[in-house]
Amino acid sequence: MTESSVPALPAGFRAQQIATKGADIHVWVGGKGPAVLLLHGYGETSEMWGPMAAALMDKRTVIAPDLRGLGLSSKPDSGYDKATQAQDIRTVLQTLGAGRTEIVAHDIGNMVAYAYAAQYRNDVAKLVVIDAPLPGIGPWEQILRSPLLWHFNFRGPDAERLVEGRERIYLDRFWNEFSADPAKFGEAAREFYAARYAQPGGMRAGFAQFAAFAQDEIDNKRFAETKLAMPVLALGGEKSFGPTMAAVMRFVASDVTEGIVPNAGHWIMEENPDATVALVTRFFGV
């Protein structure tokens, strides 16, 4: 995916809808070999993983779902806590016949991936988490005090009215403020994602991802009572979360490798996809 291209999974990937308890999850599947799950975050959809999928598909069966409420998945009224979304992922993987799985996650995807790994420890071979905190874990309270994170509490009918028809303006704020170089988040990608989030119920569902953080805090503190044992690669953008990603994960996992995506802010697959792919494939031994 170049800076001017529309986000997409590689040619040959197939799309399907998988019914879970309370949602219909849109999933892209392609490649061959052991399963690897790619989980996107807020402001993007499964298509963000195009370069990663292309690098993995010769030796991995790549599974890239849209999270509940986002992209082409359904947008129910509830179920946005990450433990429930982990159940969505469980149903997706079981439906596809995936066994022990590697996981790569970004942003909100980190939170779903952790909830999944904490509940199904024996079914996760390796875990990669990229550039976002975990509610209730480590420096969470300090992170919450950042004025940049006002969107965590921006929701409700009036907020929905404010952004209706202005989804691109709202999302540009994320792509601009959390980039080291906003120009690297190309116009075609911005238009693509803005259209996805402008679907009926799309912004409400997006806000609900953040509204669930209070429940996620409770769940994560319970999960963290037993640390993850599988190898974890914790990546932060050099101009964003940096080494804090590894610091967070050391509270919940015993085998953490720290990595930095150079010359990148939060949007690692747009700002430095080559370095991100190289770090992940080296960790997986691909």
Side-chain angles (χ1 to χ4, degrees):
M1 185 173 67
T2 66
E3 292 174 17
S4 61
S5 65
V6 174
L9 276 294
F13 271 65
R14 70 181 189 274
Q16 66 185 91
Q17 296 288 127
I18 295 177
T20 70
K21 186 177 181 180
D24 291 324
I25 303 299
H26 181 269
V27 187
W28 291 101
V29 183
K32 58 186 179 181
V36 60
L37 173 72
L38 308 180
L39 296 177
H40 69 91
Y42 186 77
E44 298 182 295
T45 61
S46 55
E47 285 86 357
M48 70 166 279
W49 293 116
M52 187 72 69
L56 292 170
M57 61 187 294
D58 286 345
K59 294 185 179 179
R60 297 289 189 274
T61 297
V62 179
I63 301 168
D66 285 338
L67 296 177
R68 174 184 290 235
L70 305 182
L72 297 179
S73 291
S74 67
K75 297 161 179 59
D77 291 335
S78 62
Y80 294 95
D81 62 280
K82 309 313 175 288
T84 294
Q85 293 193 70
Q87 299 304 313
D88 289 339
I89 298 307
R90 184 66 168 176
T91 300
V92 166
L93 295 177
Q94 288 182 327
T95 300
L96 295 173
R100 201 157 179 258
T101 305
E102 296 164 329
I103 301 177
V104 185
H106 178 246
D107 190 75
I108 293 288
N110 284 3
M111 304 174 191
V112 178
Y114 174 62
Y116 183 86
Q119 293 177 91
Y120 304 107
R121 297 165 187 258
N122 293 332
D123 292 331
V124 178
K126 291 184 177 181
L127 173 64
V128 181
V129 288
I130 307 174
D131 211 75
L134 295 178
I137 300 301
W140 176 248
E141 293 300 325
Q142 178 183 347
I143 289 166
L144 286 179
R145 289 195 288 271
S146 170
L148 287 174
L149 301 180
W150 57 263
H151 59 275
F152 282 6
N153 294 301
F154 184 76
R155 56 182 176 270
D158 291 332
E160 292 171 34
R161 290 170 59 215
L162 281 168
V163 300
E164 185 176 2
R166 305 176 185 89
E167 294 86 1
R168 169 65 190 271
I169 297 172
Y170 179 77
L171 291 166
D172 271 340
R173 177 260 166 179
F174 289 86
W175 300 324
N176 293 337
E177 288 197 3
F178 297 127
S179 294
D181 179 1
K184 290 185 176 180
F185 205 114
E187 178 64 22
R190 290 171 186 246
E191 286 293 315
F192 175 85
Y193 292 127
R196 286 284 197 261
Y197 280 77
Q199 297 174 99
M203 294 305 293
R204 172 190 55 77
F207 297 154
Q209 296 283 353
F210 302 112
F213 283 176
Q215 181 60 48
D216 297 336
E217 287 190 49
I218 295 169
D219 293 335
N220 287 345
K221 288 176 180 177
R222 174 170 52 86
F223 295 149
E225 291 174 1
T226 304
K227 286 190 172 185
L228 302 179
M230 77 284 294
V232 174
L233 174 62
L235 299 179
E238 180 185 13
K239 308 297 184 181
S240 182
F241 220 46
T244 304
M245 188 73 255
V248 167
M249 293 309 295
R250 290 188 181 108
F251 283 95
V252 299
S254 57
D255 183 1
V256 177
T257 299
E258 177 181 320
I260 303 295
V261 181
N263 303 312
H266 180 64
W267 307 105
I268 43 83
M269 293 305 297
E270 288 72 31
E271 299 184 74
N272 198 341
D274 290 344
T276 307
V277 168
L279 286 161
V280 172
T281 54
R282 185 180 309 124
F283 181 64
F284 286 163
V286 176

